[in-house]
Structure formats: structure tokens, C-alpha cells
Amino acid sequence: MGLQHDFKEARRKIARLDGQERDRLLTICQAIQQAQAALSHQATPILARCMTRCQGLCCRNIRVADIVTVWDLVYILTLAPELEPTLAACLAREDFFPADCLFLQNGVGPCLFPEHIRPERCVISFCRVEPTVEKEIGQVMRGFSRLIRFFSFRSYRRLMRYFIP
Ligand code: SF4
Ligand code: SF4
């Protein structure tokens, strides 16, 4: 199953939420966005190296489904729903074989996702251990774990709301 399947699943997950759950999801995603902003601020010198030394090698020759997950798509679609048609058009070109990332603008870059609204792996992975950003990476990871827990316990919370309004 490729990322097109995850894209449909992400849309379904969001569409099933009621108003109260959407507000909660938005709060969770905004916290991830803040954590991503703090990470990229702290990682400024590292990211400069990515651009000058290898011009974003990590975005090339990849299988996008190995990097981007359904949770990343939920995150992106929650904060930037206007990107839905663009994502759909990119994913229509999804292939089984490794290639440059589908989400590079005009096939060359930069990444078409707005700053701080990027897939988790794209922002927390570096080609070597980077102790100066460990704390910020942890914060982004905790944000995505919270997002996953939000969906995992959704039915349970709905049940609780039914019995204890
Ligand atoms: S993480 Fe390393 S390999 Fe990837 S773009 Fe940055 S410097 Fe290049
Ligand atoms: S989603 Fe963006 S940052 Fe991530 S691999 Fe693709 S182009 Fe690079």
C-alpha cells in the first residue's frame, strides 16, 4: 500500500471528527507546529549545512511512503487544508521505485510544505547525531505521539462523553 492509500485514510480520519474533536486536533497540531518551529530555530546551522553541502540530498532518491505517514498527512491537512488538491496531484505520480520526493516544488525543491508544517521524519532526522537539538526533536516526537493517541482513544472518549456528558 502506498501513500495514496494513507492520504485517503487521513482524509477519512479528519472527516469522522465532530466539532469538539476537530478543536482538540487543531490544538494538538498547533503544539507540533510550535515544536517544529523551535527545532528549526535551534537547528539553523545544521540546516544551512544541508543546503550548502548537499542541497537537500535527503529529499532525493527515496520512497516517499517510507518517509511520510498517515499521521503526517493528518497533521498537514489539519493545519493547511488548502493543500489537499496539491497533495492529491503529487500523489497521482506516486511510483513504486525510489525517486526524488513527490513534494519538491516543480520537481526540484524546496519542499512545497509550509515551514513548520512538515512530516515528522523530515524534521527530526539528520545524517549524524546532533546533540544540540535532541531536546527539540523529543518535543516534536511527543507531539506526534499525542496526535496518534488522540485517534487511538477517540472511540473510548466518545463513549465517555455519551455516558458522562
Ligand atoms: S541531513 Fe545530512 S545528508 Fe541530509 S540533507 Fe542534511 S547534510 Fe545532507
Ligand atoms: S516532504 Fe519535503 S522535506 Fe520531506 S522528503 Fe519530501 S521534499 Fe523533502
Side-chain angles (χ1 to χ4, degrees):
M1 279 188 295
L3 200 59
Q4 289 202 50
H5 171 272
D6 286 348
F7 180 58
K8 284 184 197 145
E9 183 56 27
R11 285 194 304 192
R12 264 198 298 268
K13 281 183 187 302
I14 295 171
R16 281 191 210 118
L17 302 179
D18 63 25
Q20 197 174 333
E21 290 167 332
R22 274 167 200 257
D23 289 347
R24 180 89 188 112
L25 175 63
L26 187 62
T27 304
I28 292 170
C29 291
Q30 284 167 339
I32 299 175
Q33 188 180 23
Q34 281 170 14
Q36 288 203 5
L39 171 57
S40 41
H41 175 73
Q42 183 69 14
T44 304
I46 306 169
L47 297 173
R49 203 174 56 223
C50 296
M51 291 316 294
T52 51
R53 285 207 197 147
C54 59
Q55 298 182 334
L57 186 68
C58 289
C59 305
R60 310 198 182 278
N61 202 29
I62 57 165
R63 276 196 71 241
V64 73
D66 292 342
I67 293 188
V68 182
T69 68
V70 65
W71 306 113
D72 295 319
L73 296 173
V74 166
Y75 172 59
I76 292 163
L77 289 173
T78 301
L79 291 183
E82 70 283 0
L83 284 181
E84 189 174 321
T86 311
L87 286 180
C90 292
L91 288 171
R93 294 184 279 113
E94 187 181 14
D95 200 346
F96 180 75
F97 300 104
D100 291 350
C101 183
L102 296 169
F103 304 122
L104 286 165
Q105 276 179 35
N106 303 316
V108 285
C111 177
L112 63 79
F113 296 129
E115 247 191 319
H116 318 319
I117 309 184
R118 302 252 162 107
E120 181 181 15
R121 266 190 81 182
C122 299
V123 296
I124 66 164
S125 310
F126 298 95
C127 53
R128 62 183 195 195
V129 178
E130 299 286 359
T132 56
V133 289
E134 266 174 15
K135 187 166 66 82
E136 288 77 11
I137 287 175
Q139 196 62 24
V140 173
M141 292 172 76
R142 275 189 289 281
F144 276 99
S145 302
R146 205 169 148 213
L147 186 149
I148 295 168
R149 277 199 309 276
F150 167 76
F151 280 96
S152 306
F153 293 108
R154 189 181 139 252
S155 313
Y156 173 72
R157 271 197 315 272
R158 273 200 170 185
L159 208 61
M160 292 293 286
R161 263 166 54 196
Y162 180 76
F163 287 113
I164 314 167

